[in-house]
Amino acid sequence: MKSKDKTVKGFSKKNKDKKLQWIAEEYHSDPEMMIQTLQSFEHYNTSVQKILDSFSENTIANFMMPFSVAPNFIINDRCYAIPMVIEESSVVAAASKAAKFWMSRGGFKAEVPGTEKIGQIHFSCALDESILNSFFESSKEEYARSCKDLLKNMENRGGGISSVELVSFEQEPDYYQIRIAFETCDSMGANFINSVLEKYAKEFIKLHEQKFGTESRLQIIMCILSNYTPDCVVRSEVSCPIEDLGDIDSLTALQFAYKFEKAVRIAEIDPYRATTHNKGIYNGIDAVVLATGNDFRAIEACGHAFASREGRYQSLSHCKVENGYFKFWIEVPLALGTIGGLTQLHPLAKISLEILGNPSSRELMMIAASVGLAQNFAAVKSLITTGIQKGHMKMHLFNVLHQLKATEREFKLAIDYFKDRIVSHSAVREFLNSLRPGQPEVEKSSHKDHPQ
Ligand code: MEV
């Protein structure tokens, strides 16, 4: 590693090899090893690699994540095998288990009450609000007409602008926003919405200045879609007669149902628990969102805002035990697309969608919400019965055994040995050493003992 000024000019203009070389020499103690390692993750097919490189600036390698499948998801009477991209070891196993559990109890019932998205033109204006309002109302149609070309394709697909309103804020008297609601069909619609907003704003300024000159000091502050989409929401539910739950661990079906209901209730009233509870839900949702090339940051940001919509952060899922029935459901905003963005460009996102039968965006919303609910069911189920560590420890054991290059026989013996013991990196190492007398000791690695 060289010790000198580590800043760089024109980095983005260097080719990929030069970037890699520079970063390795400046920021790594073993540049050759680093270059070799990163290059080993290069895709063998140069045209695929080109596509991957085109997604971001300054790419130096591919970052691999596990691409898994959770089978047996019955959603609205249709069976799905669900692609999931996630690094947390117990997530896919938990989703699959919950899917199997509900498979024989009617599966998931999901619906999409609405798919409306919002774009905003934020502006300041010195005009009296009532004058601004009547001018805005009188010219509304004309602004929309100026976006005709941009809207044409979307309108042909059944989407477009569904409503426009002028919004003011008491806290900021000279600030207004034009809030436009859109239907974007099977695309997430970010580019479409942002393009329409910018065009709309231009026409708004033009007509405004024609009428009021520059006197009113109208200034467009920004045009951007909102990632808060409380009207692009999906609901998924599982339910069954309580006795159909069966005895679970040491709990009877009824005890389980009430304990589960209480655990969800805690997440409804306590933000500390709600955050962890919802994190579990997004373990599932994010994994589907990533696998299908959608934007998980937008999905999470929106979900957490939605969870706070009553002024307090709460659980996104709910449970009711009544009239002999156990009912567990989720309501969550999910602005997902199945066309546009990376969804068809990323070769694996495309495959994910194919595995799902090329769903519409509504169908994908129902799938992702059901996986979130399944994940949540699995997490709460183990929390209120065996505790979460049992499952986590098993996956952790597998990971450590893989890292320490255990043989198939050693795997089997270790699974048996660690059935009732705490798994740690050092304990697994010691166990493997005990199985390999006379052989060089299994080396310590820098790996942490904690499973997450
Ligand atoms: C871990 O990734 C997720 C859980 O903490 C969720 C929960 O507590 O409900 C197990």
Side-chain angles (χ1 to χ4, degrees), residues 110-178:
E111 59 175 0
V112 175
T115 55
E116 195 173 86
K117 286 151 201 159
I118 297 294
Q120 297 170 300
I121 299 168
H122 304 271
F123 66 98
S124 57
C125 176
L127 272 186
D128 181 87
E129 188 174 341
S130 61
I131 298 176
L132 178 66
N133 234 321
S134 58
F135 166 72
F136 179 75
E137 285 301 324
S138 66
S139 322
K140 229 158 127 174
E141 306 299 314
E142 269 176 79
Y143 313 138
R145 257 201 303 282
S146 73
C147 305
K148 221 169 75 191
D149 287 352
L150 289 172
L151 289 167
K152 204 163 98 193
N153 272 344
M154 193 57 86
E155 284 173 351
N156 287 342
R157 282 158 42 202
I161 291 179
S162 35
S163 68
V164 184
E165 61 177 325
L166 183 69
V167 183
S168 61
F169 289 76
E170 253 174 47
Q171 309 93 305
E172 204 63 23
D174 68 339
Y175 159 64
Y176 300 90
Q177 69 178 239
I178 301 174

Side-chain angles (χ1 to χ4, degrees), residues 88 90-91 273 276-281 283 376 379-380 383 388 392 452:
E88 192 175 322
S90 54
V91 168
R273 175 58 203 148
T276 319
H277 181 94
N278 288 345
K279 187 272 182 186
I281 291 173
N283 275 344
N376 192 212
V380 175
L383 284 168
I388 207 75
H392 278 199
Q452 289 182 29

